[in-house]
């Protein structure tokens, strides 16, 4: 069974059941379908005003959420002050430790004669004073003169972090 919404030529709306659409066509042609209100046989399928499907509303376009600006990035911390760095191999670390030990030994067991080192070294070399361990300072020229006179001395090891 199928139900049709019908209307006559006078505008009366009514409904009627039919076995199928073919049965509807046959009965309408034979004028077997009449308006229950006026008896008119001039009936046809009611022209239904199309209902606006409320469930198919156009979705609002998805807009960029202008109000949601990304959170302000935290103020960048000031860059750390560059410091001299070095990759030190285990061998270098060991050598550095030995240098430090040697320097410590020298400064502990020798007399610091400061700027008088060339003079003292020369006196010891020429037997004017007793030999002893001393350390001090010498300009490059003084060191060169001592070397030329055959006076043996060694530069005091200086560690990188003590060169300030
Ligand atoms: Zn009618």
């Amino acid at each position: 069974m199928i139900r049709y919404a019908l209307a006559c030529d006078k505008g009366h709306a009514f409904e009627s059941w039919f076995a199928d659409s073919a049965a509807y066509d046959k009965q309408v042609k034979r004028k077997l379908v009449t308006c229950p209100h006026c008896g008119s046989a001039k009936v046809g399928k009611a022209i239904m005003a199309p209902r606006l499907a409320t469930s198919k509303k156009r979705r609002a376009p998805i807009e960029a959420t202008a109000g949601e600006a990304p959170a302000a990035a935290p103020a960048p911390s000031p860059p750390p002050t560059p410091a001299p760095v070095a990759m030190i191999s285990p061998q270098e670390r060991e050598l550095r430790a030995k240098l430090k030990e040697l320097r410590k030994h020298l400064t502990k067991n020798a007399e610091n004669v400061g700027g008088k080192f060339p003079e003292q070294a020369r006196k010891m070399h020429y037997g004017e004073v007793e030999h002893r361990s001393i350390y001090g300072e010498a300009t490059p020229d003084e060191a060169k003169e001592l070397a030329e006179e055959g006076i043996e001395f060694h530069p005091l090891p200086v560690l990188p972090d003590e060169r300030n």
Side-chain angles (χ1 to χ4, degrees):
M1 296 291 286
I2 187 170
R3 185 179 67 174
Y4 281 122
L6 305 175
C8 72
D9 59 345
K10 300 256 177 49
H12 300 134
F14 60 98
E15 293 178 347
S16 186
W17 289 91
F18 302 90
D20 50 30
S21 61
Y24 162 80
D25 291 337
K26 190 183 297 181
Q27 293 185 40
V28 169
K29 280 184 180 178
R30 294 180 181 178
K31 299 187 185 304
L32 297 176
V33 181
T34 57
C35 174
H37 305 284
C38 64
S40 170
K42 295 180 178 178
V43 300
K45 291 179 180 176
I47 297 173
M48 306 295 289
R51 285 185 180 181
L52 295 176
T54 55
S55 62
K56 288 186 179 178
K57 281 183 178 177
R58 262 183 64 195
R59 289 186 178 179
I62 298 174
E63 297 177 6
T65 52
E68 292 180 24
S77 55
T81 304
V85 293
M87 296 296 292
I88 301 178
S89 68
Q91 291 79 7
E92 289 168 332
R93 198 186 305 273
E94 186 178 354
L95 176 61
R96 180 190 166 95
K98 286 183 177 178
L99 284 174
K100 197 169 187 176
E101 188 179 347
L102 173 60
R103 180 188 169 90
K104 184 179 178 182
H105 178 81
L106 285 172
T107 56
K108 182 179 180 182
N109 296 280
E111 179 188 350
N112 183 4
V113 295
K116 294 180 181 177
F117 177 81
E119 177 188 344
Q120 291 294 315
R122 190 170 284 110
K123 284 184 178 178
M124 283 193 289
H125 180 69
Y126 293 108
E128 298 178 21
V129 296
E130 277 188 38
H131 270 268
R132 70 188 194 278
S133 294
I134 62 171
Y135 71 96
E137 299 160 4
T139 66
D141 285 342
E142 290 171 338
K144 185 180 179 182
E145 288 173 6
L146 291 174
E148 287 173 352
E149 293 177 41
I151 299 173
E152 188 178 349
F153 64 96
H154 302 279
L156 201 61
V158 177
L159 297 175
D161 56 0
E162 294 173 343
R163 281 177 179 165
N164 293 328

